[in-house]
Amino acid sequence: MDAAARWLAESQALVESWIRTDMEREEVPGGRIHEAMRYSLLAGGKRLRPLLVLAAGRYLGIRRGALRAWALAVEYLHTYSLIHDDLPAMDDDDFRRGVPTSHRVFGEALAILAGDALLTEAFLCLAREGAVEFAPERVLAAMRVLAEAAGSRGLIAGQVADLGADLHTADLGLLESIHRRKTATLITAAVAMPAVLVGETQAQERLEQFGEHFGLAFQIVDDILNVVGDPRQMGKAQGTDAARGKVTYPALIGLDESRRWVQYHRDRALQALQGHPRADALALLLEQAVERER
Ligand code: GRG
């Protein structure tokens, strides 16, 4: 295993232990709502977004412990979005992260509330710990990056456009703008926040470019896996997009052309890193994201 792979494996174990400790801390009392929050958080998941936070920190020379709250916040927010995306009013999915979805286990009302609570917990975590290591004005700026990515001009706008998209009228431009907001904004925020925290404007621009192309490549691979992936490996059902007539890359342009777009965004993401000596973990995460399909 090379240095980046070892570093990523260690970081993943660190993120897992942070989530566990944070969700088991004294102030988080028992009860159904915390059980539901823990259920979805601890069901697994690749922890891609917190790993991107830490890998961007490595690129910038920030030690991992300083980014704990930021890594947790982005995973909490992401998990909320998955719980809500799976609800009957949205995608109505039964499996996620290899286990029954939150609403299948806890009922719809509690699943909605668990998502709401995780979204709130993300910002609580930052308000509580975010400023321990960084200047308060930078913390506010980085929190704003996360809030903008998650809000009605980012993630939620993407979801709204996704729900309204029609396979008969959609084109690639519309689909890319959905993917950009639904998936790439949070991935971009994950890599941009560490740069904002240390005021590295030029690095921030490069990381944002990396995040945008990473996010688009990642979502196109997700679209492809929904056609050809192994449900056991993915932890969720396959073929659901086609069954619902969803607008996806394979539905619009076929698998081969979709794979070419993955390659295009992968190359652009790598270019943005410009061979930086500390970009190894970011580059490896990108390769792993693209390789999921192979
Ligand atoms: C905000 C009301 C509301 C709903 C959620 C945008 C959105 C709206 C939900 C996002 C859900 C979704 C399917 C986004 C696409 C991004 C994506 C491929 C998510 C899956 O992420 P992985 O593969 O999942 O990183 P794990 O389980 O590994 O963390």
Side-chain angles (χ1 to χ4, degrees), residues 51-196:
L51 288 175
L52 282 167
V53 170
L54 300 185
R58 177 173 165 93
Y59 177 89
L60 294 157
I62 307 172
R63 60 177 190 83
R64 286 179 285 205
L67 292 168
R68 178 185 181 273
W70 303 88
L72 285 175
V74 78
E75 186 66 8
Y76 291 174
L77 206 147
H78 165 63
T79 306
Y80 126 76
S81 81
L82 297 181
I83 295 174
H84 281 197
D85 188 58
D86 291 334
L87 287 169
M90 305 243 188
D91 277 0
D92 196 10
D93 275 313
D94 292 336
F95 280 93
R96 169 74 69 179
R97 293 181 163 173
V99 295
T101 43
S102 182
H103 64 272
R104 302 287 300 177
V105 177
F106 297 94
E108 209 175 331
L110 213 64
I112 293 171
L113 292 167
D116 294 341
L118 282 168
L119 171 60
T120 311
E121 193 74 21
F123 287 97
L124 176 61
C125 187
L126 295 180
R128 220 179 44 224
E129 287 181 35
V132 172
E133 302 264 354
F134 303 101
E137 65 275 13
R138 295 214 193 288
V139 169
L140 273 182
M143 282 172 87
R144 180 178 172 169
V145 168
L146 188 60
E148 279 182 347
S152 56
R153 290 162 204 84
L155 195 87
I156 290 177
Q159 181 76 348
V160 171
D162 193 19
L163 291 172
D166 178 349
L167 196 49
H168 301 292
T169 53
D171 60 18
L172 212 53
L174 173 74
L175 182 55
E176 189 182 295
S177 93
I178 293 174
H179 280 14
R180 201 175 282 282
R181 289 173 291 171
K182 192 179 82 168
T183 309
T185 45
L186 194 56
I187 286 180
T188 304
V191 291
M193 287 187 304
V196 173

